[in-house]
Each structure stands twice: as C-alpha cells, then as structure tokens.
Amino acid sequence: ETSGISCMSDSAIPWKPRMEETLQISRAQALDKIKNSEAGFGVLDVRVPSEFTKDPDPFGKLGIHPRFEHFPWTDFLDEKGDLAPKTRYKLEALGLKPTDTIAVIDERGVGAADAVLRLRELGYANAKLWAGGYRELRGMSSPSKSTK
C-alpha cells in the first residue's frame, strides 16, 4: 500500500538538496560591493551580544569599512519563536530599507540563515546569507588576499 507520494523522480534518481542562489552572497561578491561602495548595500551582523562584544569590528582589521549594523538574530523573534512584530520598525530605525541588498553575517551561519528568511518574510527581498561568515573572513590576512 502506498500513499501516492514518492521521494524518487521518474528516472529513479534520489532527490538532492539544492541551494537557492539568490539566498546567498559569496565573500568575493560582498567584498567587491564594499570596495566599490555600492549604493544600497549593507552588512547586517546578527551575532548575539556575547559574540559581538568579543570582536565588534572584524572588517576594520582588514582595512575595509562597509555600511554596517548589528542586530542580533534573536531580536527577530518573540517569546514564542515567531517573527517579532516590531522587527520591521527596528530595522527601519537602523536605516535598512526593503530595497537594500543586505549581506547577513554571523559566526557559523545558523543565526544568519534564519535572519535572512525572516528578512525576506518582512519584504527585504535582497537579504542574502554571507557564505562562510566571519570564520572565513577572519582567514583573510588583508583585503588584497584572494577572495575566491
């Protein structure tokens, strides 16, 4: 007896996950936008305060200075884990517009990935996960080092 739902395609090749490319921005792409001071581009650091205070300016150490805001990923959520109603107003108060391209970054990507989905839910269609996050960024010794 079957339910009529199949995890296999007609060609019997197992399903494989695929990253939606519009959800992420590579280090090279982000650094290029920062270097060219692209209008409407900003970085949103969503680390929790305890992580943020340990290293509040990782970009400055590399000699780069993007439009930068800190907004912990936990601030997107209410006490039930749903999108907090005041989130949009807080983001607007930081100067972030729904039309901006926002590279969302944290240490490992878990909080940033959730924040990107929450931003998209709020209408920030150009919110993107900074692939590699701070861990990869810290591996660079200078802005002239290869960004691939």
Side-chain angles (χ1 to χ4, degrees), residues 132-144:
Y134 282 121
R135 287 188 171 193
E136 182 182 70
L137 189 65
R138 285 189 193 101
M140 295 177 54
S141 58
S142 73
S144 61

Side-chain angles (χ1 to χ4, degrees), residues 74-85 87 118 121:
T74 53
D75 286 1
F76 283 89
L77 309 174
D78 65 13
E79 57 280 343
K80 295 179 189 175
D82 296 324
L83 184 61
T87 301
R118 304 294 176 152
E121 187 176 336

Side-chain angles (χ1 to χ4, degrees), residues 29-145:
Q29 291 167 325
L31 292 176
D32 187 54
K33 289 178 182 295
I34 293 166
K35 178 182 170 185
N36 295 320
S37 300
E38 186 172 304
F41 177 78
V43 176
L44 186 64
D45 181 327
V46 295
R47 293 177 292 171
V48 294
S50 61
E51 291 175 330
F52 180 77
T53 56
K54 290 178 187 173
D55 189 9
D57 188 16
F59 294 100
K61 294 174 185 173
L62 297 171
I64 55 177
H65 304 283
R67 179 176 148 215
F68 178 87
E69 297 295 342
H70 177 242
F71 191 87
W73 71 269
T74 53
D75 286 1
F76 283 89
L77 309 174
D78 65 13
E79 57 280 343
K80 295 179 189 175
D82 296 324
L83 184 61
K86 295 183 180 180
T87 301
R88 178 185 302 277
Y89 305 112
K90 291 178 182 179
L91 293 168
E92 289 173 358
L94 292 174
L96 298 173
K97 300 174 196 158
T99 56
D100 290 344
T101 297
I102 303 169
V104 183
I105 191 169
D106 71 352
E107 288 297 326
R108 296 178 188 94
V110 176
D114 185 63
V116 166
L117 296 176
R118 304 294 176 152
L119 283 163
R120 296 243 175 151
E121 187 176 336
L122 287 169
Y124 289 79
N126 298 314
K128 299 175 182 288
L129 175 65
W130 183 312
Y134 282 121
R135 287 188 171 193
E136 182 182 70
L137 189 65
R138 285 189 193 101
M140 295 177 54
S141 58
S142 73
S144 61
K145 193 172 183 177

